[in-house]
Amino acid sequence: MKHTLKEWVATTRYWSFPVSTMPIVVTFAYLFAEGKLPAGGAPWAILALSLLGVVLLHSAGNLLSDWFDYRSGVDNAEAFAVRNLVFGMFKPNEYLILSVALFVLGSVLGLAVVALSGVGVLLVGAIALLLTALYSFLKYHALGDADIFVIFGVLTVIGLAYAVTGSWCSEALVLSLPMGIITVSVLHANNTIDIPTDRAAGIKTVAMLLGETRSVHLYSWYMVLPFASVLAAVIAGLLPPTTLLCLLAAHKAFRNMRQAASYKNTGREGLKGLDLGSAQLQLQFSLLLAAGLIVSHWI
């Protein structure tokens, strides 16, 4: 069966790319604001390679996750899932082959970043690659949320900081909490709506252990905590006051919370698209946070 380029691109779940790219953008903005960017074009080359590489690896991880979910029965006709494999629009081996190809390409770009920076990036990248490959296994044992937080909230931040500065810029980890929590909210929204089908498939997620009602409540906290953590960091002097520009994204967080609250009246149907809403919040919040960091450099 032949597929169009648009259909192939759709398999990557490209709408979720803010989850992986925004931590890089915000970390780079932080380094710029702190005056830690070395002179020359190397930092900008690292930024470009990192953004493209993480998109390729994120795409590979999404494809591999969908392949595992289909093979294990987690994705089926009753699930709110990607239907390409369930309804035979794509063959499982097509997903697997594309995933491997993207992993290889993403790894090659990662090695290019190592060549421009140092072996410390290789260590961080190897850990991130391993955790990405193990994601489905960890997700099935209620560790997927922690896995995603570590990959995108911690390793991406510390890895890019090292690649650009050549040192372990631990102070940049102040970004980990807000960036990591919003990222986890995307996964948590998806897992909450999938509780019945995940339970039927015999796997465990954090959402399943909590139950639907408490999972919705936790999601609402995920919409509040990123803003609260930035505010706390500003009060503590760890981030400049201009980063409070991210509070302008609160309207999107409130809309997501209101949609989650509709579960009480509409059930699981009301949660449809909430993962997309979380990814959109990630984009808005991160761009505003990055803008606030950049502005602080000149104030």
Side-chain angles (χ1 to χ4, degrees):
M1 181 184 299
K2 292 184 177 180
H3 306 290
T4 66
L5 178 61
K6 182 178 180 180
E7 289 172 337
W8 279 114
V9 171
T11 65
T12 66
R13 283 185 272 153
Y14 57 86
W15 57 265
S16 66
F17 289 165
V19 165
S20 53
T21 57
M22 288 301 103
I24 291 176
V25 170
V26 172
T27 302
F28 195 84
Y30 175 85
L31 297 174
F32 174 78
E34 294 294 311
K36 294 181 179 294
L37 290 189
W44 300 95
I46 289 171
L47 173 63
L49 289 169
S50 298
L51 286 172
L52 181 55
V54 80
V55 164
L56 292 174
L57 292 173
H58 189 178
S59 300
N62 283 344
L63 285 157
L64 188 62
S65 176
D66 288 344
W67 182 82
F68 270 114
D69 285 349
Y70 174 74
R71 291 293 298 269
S72 64
V74 172
D75 282 355
N76 52 60
E78 286 73 43
F80 290 104
V82 178
R83 303 303 178 95
N84 288 337
L85 296 177
V86 174
F87 292 107
M89 297 170 62
F90 279 82
K91 294 180 180 179
N93 68 316
E94 291 178 315
Y95 262 52
L96 188 59
I97 291 171
L98 180 57
S99 176
V100 171
L102 292 174
F103 266 123
V104 171
L105 289 174
S107 298
V108 169
L109 292 182
L111 291 175
V113 173
V114 171
L116 288 171
S117 53
V119 293
V121 177
L122 184 61
L123 174 62
V124 174
I127 296 172
L129 198 61
L130 177 63
L131 290 177
T132 300
L134 290 175
Y135 167 70
S136 290
F137 172 81
L138 294 172
K139 171 188 171 183
Y140 296 174
H141 294 82
L143 293 171
D145 299 52
D147 183 59
I148 292 299
F149 182 90
V150 171
I151 292 173
F152 297 116
V154 178
L155 294 179
T156 300
V157 172
I158 202 69
L160 182 73
Y162 183 91
V164 172
T165 67
S167 62
W168 300 110
C169 189
S170 59
E171 58 269 28
L173 289 175
V174 68
L175 305 171
S176 294
L177 192 58
M179 303 305 297
I181 288 175
I182 296 183
T183 301
V184 170
S185 76
V186 179
L187 172 65
H188 184 70
N190 183 68
N191 287 345
T192 300
I193 199 172
D194 285 342
I195 286 176
T197 51
D198 284 350
R199 182 179 292 115
I203 71 170
K204 292 181 181 179
T205 64
V206 171
M208 184 188 301
L209 295 178
L210 291 174
E212 292 180 359
T213 299
R214 282 182 290 183
S215 288
V216 168
H217 291 160
L218 177 58
Y219 178 84
S220 295
W221 278 107
Y222 283 159
M223 294 295 99
V224 173
L225 290 174
F227 300 95
S229 66
V230 171
L231 178 59
V234 170
I235 293 173
L238 300 176
L239 288 175
T242 51
T243 55
L244 293 178
L245 189 64
C246 71
L247 294 177
L248 293 176
H251 72 96
K252 178 58 180 173
F254 177 74
R255 286 172 60 189
N256 288 347
M257 291 174 63
R258 188 168 57 184
Q259 181 181 346
S262 72
Y263 165 80
K264 187 174 182 180
N265 297 318
T266 62
R268 293 167 66 223
E269 284 290 330
L271 303 180
K272 275 187 176 181
L274 198 56
D275 50 357
L276 173 58
S278 296
Q280 291 170 340
L281 174 63
Q282 175 85 302
L283 182 62
Q284 294 180 22
F285 177 91
S286 300
L287 290 178
L288 289 166
L289 181 58
L293 286 165
I294 291 170
V295 168
S296 73
H297 181 76
W298 289 295
I299 295 179

